[in-house]
Amino acid sequence: MADKEHYNVRVGSSHAKSLGITHRTTPLARSWTGDMRVRFSDFQVNEIGENGSVIHLRTIGLENDNKKPAQSSQTPGASEPKEKPSNKDAHNAKSQDEPSVIEIAPEDITALENLSSQQFAQDLVQLFNGGNGPTGEKPKTATSETLDDKAKRAQLHGEVRRIFNSRLETTTGPEGAIVASYVAPRKNSKKSRGPRGRPDDEPIGQYLHFTLYKDNRDTMDAVSQISRLLRVKPQVIGYAGTKDRRASTTQRCSIRYQRKRAMAGLNGKLWGIATGDYEYSDSPIHLGQLLGNEFVITLKNCKMADDDMSLAPSERLALMKSNVESAMKHMASHGWINYFGHQRFGTHDVGTHQVGKLILRDDYEGAVNALLRYDAEIAAKAEAGQVPDEPSKRDEYLRHQACMLFQTGKDFDRAAKLIPRRYAGESCVLRHLTRSGKSSSRDFAGAVTHITRGLRSMYLHAYQSHVWNHAASLRYTLHGTTVVAGDLVIADAQSQPSATEVSRDQDGDEIINPADDEEEFAPPRARPLTEEEASSGKYTIHDIVLPSPGHDVIYPKNEIGEFYKDFMGLEENGSLDPLKMRRLRREFSLPGRYRKLMQRFLAEPSVQVRLYDDDTEQMHPTDMDLIKGQTNGHEGEGKRKRHHETDGHDGAGTKKAKVKVSGDDNDSVVKAEEPKDQVADSGQGASGASETEPTVEQAAEPAKIAVVVKFQLPSSAYATVTLRELMGDGDRTDLDERVAS
């Protein structure tokens, strides 16, 4: 089932130019477009550890080599996530020490969310898999919000029966709410002993490291779920960087004072999340403790500018293939401008860099008003009860409604209660401004400082990134790839902190103002080149750095250095002085950092161009697909492929992954063999024969073109900027993310 939203990579707007993203360095015969994230698994991100290894989820649950594998009549990976056990299976499962966790297919979860709410869908899954967590407790019932639509209630009853194989019984309450209860299977006469029924001599280290896999959930959401179930604060869970929400991602995390068994027991209760590969350690995982990220991105419905649709699909495929491969080859050898991407500046009408500008000029009221800006039309619809059912849209409407209620003075308390917690900045501000009624409603400075430290820093860093982008564009406009006198280079590479010593924020960029260890993570030093050095040939464009504005950096000794003063001094850019970046509030003082002007891949990239028919087709297996052994699954001719399926022809000749299910007193262990490189060499098509003319016996040639790219980037680089460079512009200047109708 395809996701409702997708992002279209298309000819750009003036928005990118306003962010300073104006140049490309890669020659391209013809620019092209494609739909990104038709399904969230089309965007896959795997963290790269400090040792250079790519993090993959290998095992879900606990592995106990002393136990014999559980006997099963099924072949590994034969069952689909949304298939439910029969009564006989459930009966046999109860004879084990611990019931097996049944994972619910993402498309079934989405169906429940669309009919009710995200919370009710989550409650149903927890009810169904109740008792598998570390506490052994399970909810008795799950209750939805009031549903006035009788037809929708009837559909929801049916979906619950289907998805949970009649293990959940639903009734309609007097006010229209759906109440679900668990129907327990018949118990075996032989009692089983749970995890508390036997000694657990496994040592517990100070920190438990684990691999976190998530689908369509952001890192903070995953951390919140885990901490809530373990009844600990989210702050005890460490991670190297946040990963995209609309994606399938894998990363390493750490948690303090927890046992492997407790973490493994959460897998049946987690929402779009799985954990595994547990290991004890004496040290936690910190932000920035990564080398970078590996991306596998599928772009569908790809078309070149002025595409000749009269050509046969195979001919269009050959043109696209040549076009993309030449661009990727050039990028691998020459690099591209290391712009900060669009996500650095937020998705609202007021960018995060604009909020940062107001904070830096001590205009706290302006910063609060910028954060709480709302659309009057959307707010009026929400106030009238016209709120969409889709969770993300519902939250957006509630945000506008809450901001309107506060800004108009209509209802302060209701505004603070309505604002969804996912809007962290607005939520922090409203909670502070309404905590004492109208008496605190004008404490704008207090409201800004009430925002969490990480989020406050994000606003300031976004302003610095905005200035950096514009400086980089001017530098390239004036001098291209030629090294000139006054350009900055890092002073002494041997004496500088390594990349792994520098703390980084949630976006993967260096933390400008660490909390307590500013001296330990001192920024590297730079120096300007002399005329003789610039012309010597010793330095290339890949040695050149530009500073983000700060009090602890120097600026280029040429016209680019003067640009910082002129640009930041403009009224629309804050009327700020790049040489005066210290503030009375230490957290608002910005030392600044240096960033390479040009970016390159960490490893050789690859690209696959292929023909296809079905937009729901998954063209590269996720870690979860490999674990479940479904990389070659089919539903049958003419049917839509499920979430954990691909067409079995990924260009690398991938065979179905072997899966081992081991018996354990607490959970089933699902283990995948080593993942192979699933992106085809750019010289092959999707099945190794995608460019072969169809024979008489073959079906009609697919008409759509997909491009699957795989590349590794340092932690401070942006995948969207990389894609923009690869896809060209002509007049194209950005990647616009828009919701499809």
Side-chain angles (χ1 to χ4, degrees):
M1 179 176 179
D3 296 327
K4 282 192 168 183
E5 298 175 310
H6 73 266
Y7 299 94
N8 181 259
V9 184
R10 63 184 180 90
V11 173
S13 66
S14 60
H15 180 54
K17 292 182 179 179
S18 72
L19 300 176
I21 305 174
T22 58
H23 289 289
R24 292 180 60 259
T25 65
T26 303
L28 190 65
R30 296 163 72 182
S31 62
W32 54 283
T33 62
D35 292 340
M36 184 168 66
R37 303 193 232 210
V38 174
R39 43 190 308 151
F40 57 79
S41 54
D42 286 345
F43 198 99
Q44 299 178 27
V45 187
N46 289 75
E47 193 170 87
I48 303 174
E50 292 180 302
N51 62 359
S53 63
V54 180
I55 306 298
H56 286 278
L57 182 66
R58 316 289 186 182
T59 305
I60 301 176
L62 285 178
E63 184 174 8
N64 189 337
D65 293 333
N66 295 324
K67 288 225 175 240
K68 294 182 179 180
Q71 300 299 315
S72 173
S73 60
Q74 295 178 331
T75 56
S79 62
E80 292 295 332
K82 69 179 190 178
E83 290 179 356
K84 309 305 180 296
S86 64
N87 289 340
K88 182 178 179 181
D89 293 331
H91 178 80
N92 290 338
K94 284 295 181 179
S95 66
Q96 304 296 324
D97 286 351
E98 186 75 15
S100 297
V101 169
I102 307 298
E103 183 178 343
I104 308 303
E107 59 264 37
D108 287 339
I109 292 174
T110 301
L112 293 172
E113 289 179 347
N114 291 338
L115 289 171
S116 55
S117 67
Q118 184 178 7
Q119 184 61 52
F120 184 54
Q122 181 177 357
D123 291 344
L124 289 173
V125 174
Q126 291 182 354
L127 179 65
F128 180 62
N129 281 317
N132 289 306
T135 63
E137 298 176 357
K138 61 181 180 182
K140 303 296 183 182
T141 61
T143 305
S144 74
E145 72 281 4
T146 300
L147 300 174
D148 297 325
D149 190 334
K150 187 175 181 181
K152 183 178 286 189
R153 289 203 305 265
Q155 188 178 356
L156 183 57
H157 284 300
E159 286 292 276
V160 171
R161 284 195 300 273
R162 176 187 67 80
I163 293 170
F164 299 104
N165 200 34
S166 299
R167 281 267 131 303
L168 298 183
E169 185 178 84
T170 56
T171 58
T172 302
E175 296 182 356
I178 302 295
V179 180
S181 57
Y182 183 75
V183 181
R186 194 170 48 181
K187 291 185 177 180
N188 197 328
S189 58
K190 183 184 291 185
K191 292 185 178 180
S192 62
R193 292 173 13 178
R196 296 180 181 273
R198 59 177 171 79
D200 188 349
D201 297 326
E202 189 175 38
I204 180 168
Q206 187 175 10
Y207 295 96
L208 175 65
H209 288 203
F210 61 94
T211 299
L212 172 67
Y213 173 90
K214 59 184 183 63
D215 277 328
N216 202 23
R217 294 288 180 271
D218 61 40
T219 303
M220 291 306 300
D221 181 21
V223 166
S224 295
Q225 285 191 50
I226 293 171
S227 62
R228 185 171 60 251
L229 290 172
L230 291 176
R231 299 178 183 177
V232 297
K233 294 182 178 180
Q235 290 83 351
V236 304
I237 301 178
Y239 47 87
T242 60
K243 299 294 181 279
D244 208 320
R245 179 180 74 87
R246 288 188 56 79
S248 297
T249 72
T250 306
Q251 64 190 118
R252 285 296 278 179
C253 300
S254 66
I255 186 169
R256 197 172 185 180
Y257 300 140
Q258 290 292 331
R259 295 185 184 275
K260 295 179 181 180
R261 196 170 302 281
M263 283 296 302
L266 298 182
N267 281 310
K269 296 175 177 291
L270 292 172
W271 186 247
I273 301 164
T275 68
D277 308 331
Y278 311 113
E279 181 181 14
Y280 291 121
S281 174
D282 292 329
S283 59
I285 293 176
H286 294 293
L287 277 174
Q289 221 171 338
L290 76 167
L291 185 63
N293 293 289
E294 180 177 88
F295 297 86
V296 181
I297 301 172
T298 301
L299 299 163
K300 295 176 178 175
N301 293 309
C302 296
K303 296 180 178 66
M304 290 188 294
D306 303 319
D307 211 352
D308 186 355
M309 300 304 293
S310 65
L311 295 176
S314 57
E315 294 177 298
R316 293 175 53 239
L317 176 77
L319 291 172
M320 175 70 78
K321 182 172 179 291
S322 174
N323 199 27
V324 176
E325 286 179 353
S326 63
M328 185 68 89
K329 183 177 180 180
H330 188 278
M331 291 174 65
S333 58
H334 293 83
W336 60 96
I337 299 177
N338 194 21
Y339 286 124
F340 290 92
H342 283 69
Q343 59 267 47
R344 184 71 161 171
F345 308 101
T347 57
H348 297 305
D349 292 338
V350 178
T352 52
H353 63 291
Q354 294 169 299
V355 177
K357 171 189 70 178
L358 294 167
I359 294 174
L360 286 172
R361 63 188 298 178
D362 297 327
D363 184 1
Y364 300 119
E365 180 177 1
V368 168
N369 287 332
L371 280 171
L372 300 183
R373 183 174 295 186
Y374 64 94
D375 185 297
E377 184 178 350
I378 294 178
K381 288 182 179 179
E383 187 71 358
Q386 301 173 20
V387 179
D389 291 332
E390 199 276 315
S392 62
K393 284 290 183 183
R394 181 176 63 245
D395 285 350
E396 179 188 352
Y397 272 57
L398 292 177
R399 177 200 172 275
H400 287 284
Q401 183 184 9
C403 292
M404 180 273 293
L405 290 173
F406 177 82
Q407 293 286 59
T408 60
K410 191 173 181 179
D411 193 332
F412 285 1
D413 291 339
R414 191 157 155 250
K417 292 176 182 177
L418 272 179
I419 189 74
R421 289 302 178 95
R422 61 177 288 197
Y423 295 102
E426 294 92 326
S427 181
C428 290
V429 165
L430 284 177
R431 283 203 308 271
H432 177 80
L433 293 177
T434 60
R435 64 180 182 178
S436 302
K438 292 187 177 181
S439 62
S440 62
S441 63
R442 302 289 300 173
D443 182 17
F444 299 114
V448 170
T449 56
H450 191 69
I451 299 172
T452 59
R453 179 183 177 83
L455 194 52
R456 291 198 308 270
S457 296
M458 185 186 72
Y459 299 136
L460 304 180
H461 299 175
Y463 176 78
Q464 292 175 303
S465 303
H466 180 248
V467 176
W468 192 97
N469 275 1
H470 283 275
S473 288
L474 179 64
R475 168 61 181 76
Y476 192 82
T477 297
L478 295 178
H479 306 296
T481 58
T482 302
V483 177
V484 298
D487 278 341
L488 299 181
V489 296
I490 298 302
D492 182 2
Q494 284 72 33
S495 64
Q496 302 295 344
S498 67
T500 58
E501 290 178 307
V502 179
S503 292
R504 298 182 185 274
D505 65 11
Q506 292 89 331
D507 292 316
D509 297 294
E510 291 100 342
I511 292 179
I512 307 300
N513 187 20
D516 301 309
D517 48 4
E518 200 165 315
E519 293 303 318
E520 180 182 355
F521 296 111
R525 302 298 170 188
R527 66 176 182 84
L529 294 176
T530 65
E531 186 73 51
E532 183 180 358
E533 287 176 321
S535 60
S536 67
K538 178 181 178 181
Y539 298 94
T540 71
I541 192 65
H542 295 286
D543 297 311
I544 304 305
V545 298
L546 287 175
S548 59
H551 60 75
D552 202 19
V553 297
I554 64 170
Y555 295 91
K557 301 301 182 182
N558 50 33
E559 59 268 64
I560 304 303
E562 293 301 314
F563 168 79
Y564 281 86
K565 300 177 184 177
D566 297 339
F567 183 79
M568 292 175 60
L570 295 174
E571 173 66 24
E572 60 265 32
N573 296 322
S575 299
L576 299 170
D577 186 344
L579 301 178
K580 297 179 180 179
M581 299 301 289
R582 292 189 184 274
R583 297 293 182 273
L584 291 177
R585 294 180 182 271
R586 179 175 176 268
E587 63 206 83
F588 295 159
S589 291
L590 302 178
R593 284 211 181 269
Y594 299 103
R595 179 179 176 89
K596 286 289 185 78
L597 175 62
M598 302 294 288
Q599 185 60 266
R600 286 194 282 198
F601 296 116
L602 291 177
E604 192 69 22
S606 60
V607 59
Q608 172 194 5
V609 185
R610 54 160 294 181
L611 295 174
Y612 75 101
D613 272 330
D614 189 353
D615 282 342
T616 66
E617 181 179 341
Q618 186 163 319
M619 299 179 186
H620 186 276
T622 66
D623 284 357
M624 188 64 71
D625 292 327
L626 293 172
I627 284 178
K628 294 188 174 301
Q630 294 171 349
T631 56
N632 283 348
H634 288 274
E635 275 194 80
E637 186 176 355
K639 293 187 178 180
R640 295 161 67 91
K641 290 180 174 60
R642 300 187 182 97
H643 171 72
H644 290 299
E645 292 180 332
T646 67
D647 66 346
H649 303 290
D650 59 5
T654 305
K655 296 182 180 180
K656 185 180 294 185
K658 296 179 181 179
V659 176
K660 175 185 176 184
V661 181
S662 300
D664 188 85
D665 287 342
N666 290 279
D667 46 71
S668 294
V669 180
V670 189
K671 186 176 182 180
E673 63 179 8
E674 290 291 312
K676 304 294 191 297
D677 184 358
Q678 300 297 336
V679 174
D681 178 79
S682 59
Q684 291 191 12
S687 63
S690 65
E691 298 174 55
T692 304
E693 290 295 329
T695 64
V696 176
E697 292 78 11
Q698 287 177 319
E701 187 177 37
K704 298 180 180 181
I705 296 177
V707 176
V708 184
V709 292
K710 180 178 182 179
F711 50 79
Q712 294 183 2
L713 296 177
S715 57
S716 60
Y718 287 81
T720 51
V721 172
T722 306
L723 289 177
R724 170 187 173 274
E725 188 73 19
L726 176 67
M727 301 175 76
D729 52 6
D731 188 28
R732 176 196 305 270
T733 54
D734 70 331
L735 296 181
D736 276 350
E737 294 188 328
R738 64 178 183 178
V739 178
S741 57

